[in-house]
Amino acid sequence: MSKRLSIEADGADAVHHAFEQAIADGGTAVFPADGLYGLACDPTNGEAIQRIHRLKDRDAGKPSAIMYFSNEAMREIIDSVTPIVRAMVAALLPGPVTLIVDNPEGRYPLANGDTPERLGIRQIDGPLSGLVVPVFQTSANHSGEPPPARAEDVHEQIAASVDLFIDGGQLTGKPSTVVDLTEVEAGGRWSVIREGALSYGDLESKLGGLELGG
């Protein structure tokens, strides 16, 4: 049975401790991201990642993002990208975006699916801000079904199967905008793979002056 905590009732400190412990122990967690509820685990733990794939009935070859909750934790990635990409990441994160960056060092191969040379990264604000543990993350729904924006909308099978369930109340219901930055160095262009919570116009505004094209 899942351990269940509420950010409102139990407080951020208790939630932070429980989340970090669950990830460190190889467990899985449902947690509130910025717009939707997600599933998380240690991105280096193959067994935990397979549990998430089975819970979602998800193709293991489909890539997932690595989520960060602090600038400190993101340094491992920031130090490996080029200065222009680093500036773009700084302009967009934390925020409701998933950024696809080059991954020449092959970090987090279990999250990259069939594209090990690319890595999706996220950093969000919110009740989990400040945590230094990165996580493998994907939406907390069965594949093909709508992702949940409320704790009570998480499918009961998923809710009962994870080690930790964090109730963060009502979220925005908007998915992250997915932006591909892997062509920036070659051609100075970025592209939107999926428009979500951050509009194309807002992206142009935030990235204006950093590079040409879009």
Side-chain angles (χ1 to χ4, degrees):
M1 180 178 293
S2 300
K3 178 179 181 179
R4 190 173 183 118
L5 292 176
S6 164
I7 292 170
E8 181 178 1
D10 298 297
D13 287 346
V15 167
H16 282 202
H17 177 75
F19 187 76
E20 289 182 321
Q21 192 64 56
I23 300 302
D25 289 344
T28 56
V30 168
F31 73 104
D34 41 6
L36 299 164
Y37 277 82
L39 279 163
C41 71
D42 179 348
T44 67
N45 188 315
E47 182 178 345
I49 289 173
Q50 286 303 315
R51 285 178 60 196
I52 286 180
H53 287 317
R54 289 194 296 270
L55 275 176
K56 287 176 62 73
D57 191 23
R58 185 177 190 265
D59 180 2
K62 188 175 181 180
S64 293
I66 301 299
M67 179 172 281
Y68 299 90
F69 303 96
S70 67
N71 289 332
E72 178 183 356
M74 278 199 70
R75 285 176 186 160
E76 62 175 7
I77 295 299
I78 295 303
D79 289 346
S80 70
V81 299
T82 59
I84 184 61
V85 172
R86 192 175 305 139
M88 296 174 78
V89 171
L92 295 173
L93 296 179
V97 294
T98 299
L99 303 180
I100 310 301
V101 299
D102 286 319
N103 187 30
E105 297 177 0
R107 293 179 184 273
Y108 301 114
L110 299 178
N112 295 332
D114 297 328
T115 55
E117 72 282 2
R118 296 155 58 92
L119 180 67
I121 59 172
R122 295 206 65 199
Q123 184 189 356
I124 63 170
D125 283 323
L128 297 181
S129 291
L131 295 179
V132 296
V133 55
V135 297
F136 171 99
Q137 69 89 36
T138 181
S139 55
N141 60 292
H142 291 129
S143 293
E145 295 183 359
R150 302 185 305 166
E152 54 266 39
D153 292 336
V154 176
H155 194 284
E156 61 182 14
Q157 179 192 11
I158 293 177
S161 299
V162 295
D163 299 285
L164 175 66
F165 190 107
I166 299 173
D167 185 342
Q170 175 74 52
L171 306 181
T172 68
K174 296 179 180 179
S176 65
T177 297
V178 182
V179 186
D180 189 341
L181 304 182
T182 60
E183 299 297 323
V184 169
E185 285 302 310
R189 298 183 66 84
W190 50 270
S191 59
V192 175
I193 297 175
R194 180 188 71 196
E195 189 166 336
L198 193 67
S199 70
Y200 192 93
D202 287 338
L203 279 168
E204 288 188 314
S205 178
K206 288 178 177 292
L207 296 177
L210 294 179
E211 41 77 35
L212 298 175

